[in-house]
Amino acid sequence: MQRHAPDFSLDGKVTLVTGASRGIGRACALACAAAGSDIILGVRNVAASADLVAELEGAGRKILAVELDIPNNAHIAQAVAAALTTFDRIDVLVNNVGVAPGNLAELVEEKDLDEILNVNIKGTFLMTQAVGRQMIKQNGGRIISISSQAATVALRGEAIYCMSKAAINHLTRCLAAEWARYNVTVNTVSPTFIHTDGTAPFLSDPANRQATLDHIPLGRIGETNDVVGAVVFLASPAASLITGANLLVDGGWSVA
């Protein structure tokens, strides 16, 4: 019996990454491009992303940067329309945009509640809906949302953020069930604390860093490459039978 190696290539694909200017989003764009995909960068400031565009183009990929202010539905519609004008299709969506202003539950202000729910839940849904409609038309696609271990474990001072990520995980299961008949897979990747500009202030405090490490059986803070490996896998043909899944990249935090 002939055996074939699994296919992790994204050759010929078009991937849209939201929040692509830095951190996990930037790393996802670079990793998907390295795997062979052309890239649509969803960013707040197109001009400020010129260096990333140049880096990706230097790797031989076709790149489009689009202004994207989530959850502004008009921005989402314009970004998707621009992407389709340039590429005619979107094969992979990486939902990366999210916010996490933390506070003890009894001290949470309504403006912070609104921001988290609007960006993390409403924004993720509207972005997924807009791209999902196109994927249904083209009878195929991969949707990957960057969730968090916070959807699975309780983090003190992050009740609203945890709630929002749990909502994304369940939305993912619902959409996976609805869109499977269109050959659209929908999954989440849930990282632990990852070294990024956003986590740097928290992790630079030795007490915070040690408290975090105490929860991670593998004994280290994550790097963006730990996350993007999971994203490329779920976007690739190797994951064609996976949908409705939540892939934890948490060093064992959730099972410790």
Side-chain angles (χ1 to χ4, degrees):
M1 177 177 169
Q2 187 178 8
R3 296 183 181 275
H4 299 281
D7 183 1
F8 298 102
S9 170
L10 299 184
D11 287 345
K13 302 299 184 182
V14 177
T15 299
L16 193 165
V17 182
T18 71
S21 62
R22 62 177 188 162
I24 291 173
R26 183 185 183 97
C28 285
L30 289 167
C32 289
S37 182
D38 293 327
I39 304 293
I40 305 153
L41 301 170
V43 294
R44 294 286 295 272
N45 187 327
V46 171
S49 301
D51 62 331
L52 178 57
V53 171
E55 183 176 357
L56 292 166
E57 288 177 338
R61 303 298 170 225
K62 188 173 182 181
I63 309 300
L64 174 69
V66 294
E67 184 180 356
L68 187 55
D69 183 12
I70 290 175
N72 185 316
N73 207 20
H75 269 234
I76 291 171
Q78 290 166 7
V80 171
L84 295 176
T85 297
T86 299
F87 292 104
D88 296 324
R89 61 187 297 110
I90 301 171
D91 299 296
V92 180
L93 168 65
V94 180
N95 283 314
N96 173 66
V97 169
V99 296
N103 209 341
L104 295 173
E106 65 271 23
L107 302 177
V108 170
E109 296 184 13
E110 186 174 2
K111 63 179 179 62
D112 293 329
L113 174 67
D114 288 344
E115 180 186 16
I116 294 173
L117 300 185
N118 278 335
V119 175
N120 294 7
I121 300 178
K122 179 180 177 181
T124 297
F125 176 78
L126 290 176
M127 192 73 225
T128 301
Q129 180 189 55
V131 176
R133 286 168 173 162
Q134 174 59 29
M135 290 179 173
I136 288 170
K137 289 179 183 178
Q138 62 196 42
N139 194 40
R142 304 294 176 85
I143 297 170
I144 303 156
S145 295
I146 304 300
S147 184
S148 170
Q149 67 177 15
T152 306
V153 300
L155 299 179
R156 183 176 181 272
E158 299 287 354
I160 311 305
Y161 178 71
C162 291
M163 175 178 69
S164 73
K165 291 300 187 177
I168 289 172
N169 286 7
H170 196 59
L171 172 65
T172 292
R173 289 189 286 270
C174 292
L175 295 180
E178 286 192 27
W179 292 351
R181 65 184 182 273
Y182 303 114
N183 195 34
V184 176
T185 67
V186 192
N187 295 290
T188 53
V189 172
S190 292
T192 185
F193 285 86
I194 303 296
H195 282 126
T196 65
D197 292 344
T199 60
F202 177 82
L203 293 174
S204 63
D205 182 308
N208 289 340
R209 185 177 188 84
Q210 189 56 53
T212 300
L213 288 170
D214 288 344
H215 283 284
I216 302 176
L218 286 180
R220 67 177 178 87
I221 307 298
E223 303 294 339
T224 54
N225 274 348
D226 294 314
V227 182
V228 300
V231 171
V232 171
F233 164 62
L234 289 173
S236 76
S240 62
L241 198 60
I242 299 174
T243 195
N246 176 40
L247 181 48
L248 282 155
V249 185
D250 69 348
W253 183 314
S254 61
V255 297

